[in-house]
Amino acid sequence: MRKFFSKTGLRKLKKPAVIAVCIVMGLFICLGTYAFLKREVLLNRAVSKAVDLAKSKYNLNVNFGNYGFSGISAVNFKRVSVVPQDRDSLAKIKDLTIKIKLFPLIFGKIKIAEFYLNNGIISLTKKDSISNYDFLFKRDSTKKSDNNGEVDFADLANRLVHQVLDKIPEDMKIQNFKITYTSDTSHVSVFTPLAEIVDKELTSKIEINNKAAVWHINGFVDPSNERIDLKLFADKNKVELPIFEEKYGLKLNFDTVSTVLKSVKKHGKVLDIEGNWSIKNLLINHPRISLDDVIVPDASVDAKFIIGKNFFSIDSTTTVKAGQAKFNPYLKITMEKPHKTYALKLNIPQQKAQYILDAFPIGLFESLEGLKVSGDIGYYFDFYFDTSLPDSVILNSSLSPSKDFRIIQYGKTNLQKINGPFVYTPYERGKPVRDILVSDANPNFVRLNDISPNLKNALLTAEDPSFFSHKGFVEKSIKQSIVTNFKAKSFKRGGSTISMQLVKNIFLNRNKTIARKVEEMLIVWLIENQKLSTKSRMFEVYLNIIEWGRNVYGIKEAANYYFAKHPADLSVGESIYLASIVPKPKSSLYAWQSDGSLKPYLHGYFNLIGKLMAIKGYVQRDSSAYGFYGVRLRESLRQQIAPTDTLSTDSLNEDSEEDIFKFFNIKRDSVTEASLKLKEIFGGKKDTAEKSAKELRRERRQKRREEKARE
């Protein structure tokens, strides 16, 4: 071994190594010389092949006035035109020069060194449903997929990123280049008089719609080292994107947006992308988000994306800043055919509570604007969902205020107004119905102690069993709602508590937006955790303002309307009926028959709610469906037909018996077994699960007839 690495041994190896290097260099020189001598022929073949491919694959007619080499590796094209078959002209370029890097080309990579364009136009047109760019979205049917149709996300993302980076030249000059988009309803033009990259510095001027606005994209580009730092801004005005408003109803503008690509690294089968994105004075308006303009003064995200073969994730080291507030999101979506998994976490470390309130976008949470608080607060959210195991959904949420957290000053809305007299105005289809005074001065207002325990217990059982013990939210209910809605592939059940319904009615508008739902949850947390009102007062107000029928608001109006009774005199059966109509109050009269008795389809509901009330000790066990047969509608209402309901509320009335037993954590193996267990406790007539197939078919036919009659 020593002899082999001796000076003599090294001298013996040196000569063959030199010879091998010389041979390789000689081959490269010969190939390069051959390529240089034959480059015109090779260029003609390449251009001819590209033209044929454009025609056969995309049905494009590509023509060149003339072309040829300019220098060693630069190619110049003049009078280039691209016209899709039987479509309007797509592109025309007067003068185009592209220089390719030679060394990467040896390894099959095309990297642009220089790019010069003078006088060009790209015209995108769409008339009716016909466009001259639809070939861009044409699927390549000849391309075969690997891995049985599975896509390697890491490999795909890596190729896409480097395809973009490789096409960014080190030197560039674009003059008089125009892009237009014309449809039946709109026209947009983007004209670039000059854009340059000199010594990795990009400067540009972009004129929008004949100088209606002037934009600039300036910054630093170093594609070889995978570094980009760009900023988009406008002269004097904001950057506006009216085409989004025309096509999608989205109003969007901002002062400045910046993007920084820090690194793109692939280790093994995983791709890491790190960067920073920031925006100043972002304005968004879309009816699904909020009816008012939403403004984000200053926000940034320092992000790390991790992409694997079958997953995409935002790493937990990602930091989002909004004003002085900071938080760390985490997201991972995994595609494992045939199912998917979703993991979402949000960590807001302990920080000044006012920082978080100030970070809320202006116009998003109107009720909270101007709210002043003291103390610190932190928040943690953890969600995991596997589509193959929906019942195993994980949902944890915890908001942790410091001991000195308190409200110093209310904003636009006094969150304690429910403690005293106030006026509640219900709305229907965006219009106010009437004003309701929530006060003893209103003869229809009823104190909680003057309402029958039967009604209070029936409503709590159906709507929110743990109302007096929870702090505004019931995670178990929300999880069960997610599972139920996923299995049904539609919205069948919500997770709203009485607290949430009360806040929605009193403090918020009826607009179904994302912002309203988040605002609802924030107000509920403040009221419940800061004890701005007592549970008894909240329940009292709730019973006095909710809708119980067409223009019937409050329990006193409802008891009188349906049964000509005072709320204190309601029976168990009457109370269960009133609880059943809370989700769909406008459909309340459809439950009755012409003789004033209830229709048979409610029998199961009465049994279910009654048994759950008995389990809680609210009523005695009953073998006659808990007052179902004794409930009688007021004589004057028996021939009336209520209009179709337009409002939906969360309730157990929409759930199957299976869902409800899960909700109350009653363990059983099947519906039949649960019914038998309940029968062992209470006795009584056979339940729905024990009925014969013939009886069940008869009930289903009856229900279909009733639905047709309602329609």
Side-chain angles (χ1 to χ4, degrees):
M1 200 67 171
R2 291 178 181 174
K3 184 178 178 181
F4 182 80
F5 284 105
S6 65
K7 292 182 179 179
T8 305
L10 290 172
R11 278 197 297 271
K12 289 181 180 180
L13 289 173
K14 185 175 180 181
K15 189 175 181 180
V18 171
I19 293 172
V21 170
C22 290
I23 292 172
V24 173
M25 290 182 64
L27 287 172
F28 275 122
I29 291 170
C30 291
L31 289 172
T33 303
Y34 175 80
F36 181 77
L37 295 174
K38 295 288 186 178
R39 61 181 185 158
E40 292 293 344
V41 176
L42 295 173
L43 177 63
N44 287 333
R45 288 179 182 173
V47 170
S48 178
K49 185 177 180 181
V51 170
D52 291 342
L53 183 64
K55 180 64 177 176
S56 61
K57 192 173 182 179
Y58 301 110
N59 210 14
L60 297 175
N61 299 308
V62 181
N63 295 295
F64 302 94
N66 63 335
Y67 55 87
F69 279 94
S70 174
I72 296 176
S73 61
V75 181
N76 177 257
F77 300 91
K78 293 188 182 296
R79 299 186 303 281
V80 182
S81 67
V82 180
V83 182
Q85 187 69 32
D86 300 324
R87 299 284 194 275
D88 293 333
S89 176
L90 178 64
K92 290 183 180 179
I93 300 174
K94 183 179 179 182
D95 193 356
L96 173 66
T97 300
I98 301 174
K99 184 177 181 180
I100 307 297
K101 293 182 180 181
L102 292 177
F103 187 73
L105 192 61
I106 296 172
F107 301 97
K109 290 185 177 181
I110 299 176
K111 290 190 175 183
I112 299 176
E114 298 175 6
F115 183 90
Y116 304 103
L117 185 151
N118 185 25
N119 292 324
I121 182 170
I122 294 178
S123 302
L124 305 173
T125 61
K126 185 174 183 179
K127 296 178 181 178
D128 295 327
S129 59
I130 300 174
S131 69
N132 67 344
Y133 53 86
D134 49 13
F135 67 91
L136 295 170
F137 309 102
K138 183 180 178 181
R139 180 175 293 181
D140 188 355
S141 58
T142 63
K143 188 175 180 180
K144 295 182 179 180
S145 58
D146 299 326
N147 302 322
N148 298 320
E150 293 183 2
V151 178
D152 186 331
F153 294 118
D155 183 62
L156 176 63
N158 188 50
R159 283 190 283 112
L160 289 174
V161 169
H162 283 92
Q163 281 178 12
V164 173
L165 291 172
D166 292 346
K167 302 308 181 285
I168 299 176
E170 292 183 348
D171 292 296
M172 180 189 78
K173 188 172 184 178
I174 296 175
Q175 292 178 287
N176 302 323
F177 179 60
K178 190 174 187 178
I179 300 175
T180 65
Y181 172 79
T182 304
S183 69
D184 296 326
T185 57
S186 62
H187 176 78
V188 179
S189 68
V190 179
F191 177 66
T192 304
L194 181 63
E196 288 184 299
I197 297 178
V198 180
D199 295 330
K200 300 179 181 178
E201 292 292 333
L202 169 65
T203 57
S204 66
K205 181 181 181 181
I206 304 168
E207 298 173 356
I208 309 298
N209 293 339
N210 298 320
K211 297 184 179 181
V214 178
W215 296 356
H216 298 278
I217 301 177
N218 295 346
F220 172 82
V221 289
D222 184 6
S224 298
N225 294 311
E226 299 167 344
R227 296 294 303 274
I228 293 176
D229 187 348
L230 299 176
K231 184 179 292 185
L232 169 62
F233 60 95
D235 281 349
K236 299 178 182 177
N237 299 313
K238 290 184 140 192
V239 175
E240 297 187 355
L241 302 168
I243 191 169
F244 285 176
E245 189 169 6
E246 292 175 8
K247 291 183 71 66
Y248 309 110
L250 173 64
K251 183 180 179 182
L252 177 67
N253 61 57
F254 52 84
D255 283 351
T256 306
V257 64
S258 301
T259 180
V260 178
L261 179 64
K262 296 179 180 179
S263 69
V264 180
K265 297 178 182 177
K266 191 174 185 192
H267 350 247
K269 296 183 178 180
V270 176
L271 178 69
D272 291 350
I273 301 175
E274 294 187 47
N276 178 276
W277 292 265
S278 63
I279 196 163
K280 292 188 181 296
N281 291 323
L282 169 67
L283 184 147
I284 300 175
N285 188 306
H286 192 278
R288 290 292 181 89
I289 301 172
S290 174
L291 296 185
D292 300 318
D293 289 345
V294 176
I295 300 171
V296 181
D298 186 9
S300 67
V301 54
D302 201 355
K304 181 178 181 180
F305 302 100
I306 302 176
I307 306 170
K309 181 179 179 180
N310 63 348
F311 72 86
F312 167 83
S313 71
I314 299 174
D315 192 63
S316 58
T317 58
T318 297
T319 301
V320 178
K321 298 179 181 177
Q324 294 178 286
K326 298 179 182 180
F327 61 91
N328 306 103
Y330 169 80
L331 172 68
K332 185 175 182 180
I333 302 173
T334 305
M335 313 282 190
E336 295 181 359
K337 290 186 176 180
H339 69 280
K340 302 175 184 178
T341 61
Y342 303 88
L344 174 64
K345 296 181 181 180
L346 178 63
N347 178 42
I348 302 178
Q350 204 78 7
Q351 55 194 287
K352 289 187 179 299
Q354 192 62 49
Y355 289 171
I356 296 175
L357 282 176
D358 292 343
F360 291 155
I362 299 169
L364 193 62
F365 307 134
E366 185 179 358
S367 299
L368 300 176
E369 287 184 11
L371 184 69
K372 301 295 181 185
V373 297
S374 64
D376 297 342
I377 201 168
Y379 178 69
Y380 181 75
F381 177 80
D382 183 14
F383 173 78
Y384 180 83
F385 186 74
D386 186 337
T387 57
S388 65
L389 300 168
D391 291 310
S392 64
V393 61
I394 296 173
L395 178 66
N396 297 305
S397 176
S398 61
L399 199 57
S400 50
S402 60
K403 291 182 179 179
D404 60 342
F405 176 85
R406 64 187 182 89
I407 297 175
I408 300 173
Q409 175 186 316
Y410 291 110
K412 291 185 176 180
T413 303
N414 180 0
L415 301 182
Q416 285 187 305
K417 78 173 187 178
I418 62 174
N419 294 332
F422 69 95
V423 175
Y424 166 66
T425 306
Y427 281 78
E428 210 166 291
R429 296 184 180 89
K431 297 180 180 180
V433 178
R434 58 185 168 104
D435 290 340
I436 299 172
L437 178 62
V438 183
S439 165
D440 290 325
N442 180 355
N444 285 325
F445 179 82
V446 187
R447 288 291 179 183
L448 189 63
N449 291 335
D450 295 330
I451 299 173
S452 169
N454 293 325
L455 184 280
K456 292 183 285 189
N457 293 331
L459 192 61
L460 287 171
T461 300
E463 292 293 316
D464 192 353
S466 58
F467 171 71
F468 281 94
S469 59
H470 67 59
K471 292 189 176 181
F473 311 98
V474 181
E475 288 183 5
K476 183 187 292 185
S477 176
I478 297 172
K479 285 195 286 188
Q480 188 58 39
S481 298
I482 293 170
V483 173
T484 301
N485 296 334
F486 174 77
K487 290 179 178 179
K489 306 299 181 186
S490 63
F491 186 81
K492 291 289 185 182
R493 173 177 177 169
S496 292
T497 60
I498 285 177
S499 305
M500 296 169 74
Q501 294 178 44
L502 183 67
V503 165
K504 177 178 67 179
N505 281 289
I506 294 179
F507 297 106
L508 304 175
N509 56 50
R510 289 285 182 172
N511 303 320
K512 294 184 178 181
T513 62
I514 298 172
R516 197 213 70 183
K517 193 64 180 177
V518 175
E519 187 176 11
E520 173 188 312
M521 297 173 73
L522 290 169
I523 294 175
V524 167
W525 184 86
L526 287 169
I527 291 175
E528 291 272 11
N529 287 268
Q530 290 299 294
K531 298 180 180 178
L532 303 182
S533 182
T534 65
K535 286 282 192 177
S536 295
R537 174 60 178 175
M538 292 171 69
F539 193 36
E540 180 179 80
V541 172
Y542 177 80
L543 293 173
N544 277 279
I545 68 168
I546 61 171
E547 185 179 9
W548 301 83
R550 183 174 56 181
N551 199 24
V552 179
Y553 293 91
I555 185 58
K556 188 170 183 180
E557 290 186 16
N560 181 62
Y561 180 75
Y562 294 104
F563 309 116
K565 285 187 175 183
H566 188 275
D569 303 323
L570 292 170
S571 67
V572 172
E574 292 164 344
S575 298
I576 293 177
Y577 164 75
L578 288 173
S580 76
I581 67 173
V582 170
K584 296 183 177 181
K586 297 218 174 25
S587 303
S588 59
L589 294 182
Y590 294 140
W592 299 96
Q593 301 187 96
S594 58
D595 64 353
S597 62
L598 289 166
K599 292 181 179 178
Y601 75 84
L602 270 176
H603 183 276
Y605 179 83
F606 268 67
N607 250 340
L608 181 60
I609 297 300
K611 288 176 180 178
L612 292 173
M613 290 173 69
I615 290 173
K616 295 288 185 179
Y618 297 149
V619 296
Q620 297 295 318
R621 64 181 185 178
D622 188 351
S623 59
S624 58
Y626 297 89
F628 173 81
Y629 298 104
V631 181
R632 285 292 179 270
L633 181 66
R634 185 175 180 173
E635 181 71 33
S636 60
L637 292 179
R638 294 183 184 182
Q639 302 304 317
Q640 291 189 28
I641 299 176
T644 303
D645 177 41
T646 59
L647 183 63
S648 179
T649 312
D650 303 318
S651 172
L652 296 176
N653 197 21
E654 294 298 308
D655 297 326
S656 67
E657 187 173 292
E658 177 75 26
D659 292 331
I660 296 173
F661 276 102
K662 284 182 180 179
F663 179 77
F664 284 99
N665 200 25
I666 299 174
K667 296 181 180 179
R668 41 70 171 284
D669 298 322
S670 67
V671 176
T672 303
E673 183 179 343
S675 299
L676 291 172
K677 287 181 180 179
L678 288 171
K679 187 176 180 181
E680 288 174 5
I681 299 172
F682 300 109
K685 297 182 179 180
K686 61 182 179 180
D687 207 345
T688 305
E690 301 173 76
K691 292 180 180 178
S692 67
K694 185 176 181 180
E695 289 173 311
L696 291 172
R697 285 197 300 271
R698 188 184 300 117
E699 287 187 7
R700 284 197 294 269
R701 285 196 296 270
Q702 175 65 20
K703 190 172 181 179
R704 283 196 295 269
R705 284 195 292 269
E706 291 168 357
E707 288 173 351
K708 287 181 180 179
R710 286 200 294 270
E711 290 174 2

